[in-house]
Amino acid sequence: MYKLLTKSFLKLLPLSLSTLTLPINAAPIPFGQRDYIQHRANQPNFGAATTQEGCVNHLQSNGGQEAFVKTMWLTFDTLDRNQWLESGCTKSLTATSITIPNPNIDDVSFFEGHYFAYNTYVNVPGQTQPQSRYHEGRVNIGTVIPSGNHRYKIERDITQNNRWCNAVNNVASYCITLPGVDNYNAAGYITVGIESRDTSHTFTNNTRAENIWYRPVSNSGFIRLPNMLKRDNMATSRTWSSSYTSATSTIPDRIIFKNQP
């Protein structure tokens, strides 16, 4: 999740009594650096799905403007350009419409809920190189701030080139024909994790993502993802981490996210 924001934002949410004490000098992490705890599979695919525990009630934020999400990414491996789809829950400033490219402070407001986003590179008149274009949209399922477990799915619509559809709890939300200069008919990586861009953020310790399935490019249905590798990347000194266990006969595959040593 990327945002081009330039102004400070008032605190909108009371802190949960169950959160960790926030750092005294909490501050945004510089743009281009983020705290990521995530696991990834190098797996060509036509889509993926995962169940996220807790949704936004497991994310604790001071109501600031910076990105804070628990999400799933499908990444396109195309000429080293950073291009992806993502679906999950957010507790931060979020664009009011998915039609707005590279939203700025005038295009966003604070949102707690499900979202869908994508980033591609497009040709721009007057520019010699393709330029990054990020879009995000809110998924309004129900009338209250979501809690509990929710299933997020992104799947390729093979009837049209470069077209992908998003669903939350098996309810369809967006179908997007990705604009851009590359081929977006298959994704190369599946990643599940938490992204933060402010040291005031924290989350419920041991919150989980589980039942991670994917649709192979050679198969018309979803199957269980066989394995994932750690991709934790901390820009700060916070002791966040993630661990992965594969499925057994009684327990689904799962990622556990920790905010303590």
Side-chain angles (χ1 to χ4, degrees), residues 63-222:
Q65 66 183 21
E66 304 298 339
F68 191 27
V69 297
K70 188 178 182 187
T71 195
M72 174 181 70
W73 296 267
L74 301 186
T75 307
F76 301 100
D77 185 16
T78 52
L79 301 176
D80 296 323
R81 288 193 272 262
N82 194 12
Q83 301 179 101
W84 72 92
L85 298 151
E86 63 182 290
S87 178
C89 51
T90 180
K91 203 168 195 174
S92 50
L93 289 185
T94 309
T96 55
S97 171
I98 202 168
T99 63
I100 303 170
N102 294 344
N104 60 38
I105 192 65
D106 298 319
D107 304 318
V108 300
S109 59
F110 194 85
F111 178 65
E112 297 179 77
H114 313 294
Y115 77 99
F116 172 71
Y118 65 93
N119 190 83
T120 59
Y121 273 72
V122 303
N123 288 321
V124 177
Q127 300 290 329
T128 58
Q129 296 295 325
Q131 303 296 304
S132 175
R133 289 293 181 267
Y134 172 77
H135 296 255
E136 65 185 9
R138 300 172 179 182
V139 179
N140 295 312
I141 296 178
T143 58
V144 298
I145 296 172
S147 62
N149 296 349
H150 298 275
R151 188 145 186 90
Y152 300 92
K153 181 173 77 171
I154 305 173
E155 184 175 11
R156 172 91 155 78
D157 177 359
I158 61 173
T159 66
Q160 301 181 48
N161 282 335
N162 302 328
R163 188 168 175 82
W164 297 77
C165 295
N166 169 237
V168 179
N169 300 326
N170 295 317
V171 178
S173 55
Y174 296 99
C175 279
I176 301 294
T177 299
L178 296 178
V181 297
D182 293 308
N183 182 323
Y184 307 109
N185 284 327
Y189 300 91
I190 302 163
T191 309
V192 178
I194 294 175
E195 172 190 353
S196 167
R197 203 185 153 217
D198 195 305
T199 56
S200 70
H201 296 152
T202 188
F203 58 87
T204 300
N205 195 37
N206 294 323
T207 187
R208 298 177 299 187
E210 59 187 24
N211 273 318
I212 305 165
W213 292 59
Y214 81 107
R215 181 179 171 182
V217 296
S218 59
N219 193 306
S220 60
F222 278 73

Side-chain angles (χ1 to χ4, degrees), residues 29-30 32-38 68 194-199 201-203 230-242 257-260:
I29 302 169
Q33 302 178 44
R34 290 154 197 262
D35 284 342
Y36 290 99
I37 47 172
Q38 52 187 209
F68 191 27
I194 294 175
E195 172 190 353
S196 167
R197 203 185 153 217
D198 195 305
T199 56
H201 296 152
T202 188
F203 58 87
K230 183 189 288 286
R231 293 286 295 181
D232 294 352
N233 182 15
M234 302 294 292
T236 71
S237 60
R238 285 188 289 192
T239 56
W240 292 5
S241 65
S242 65
F257 304 102
K258 294 182 175 293
N259 59 22
Q260 301 171 9

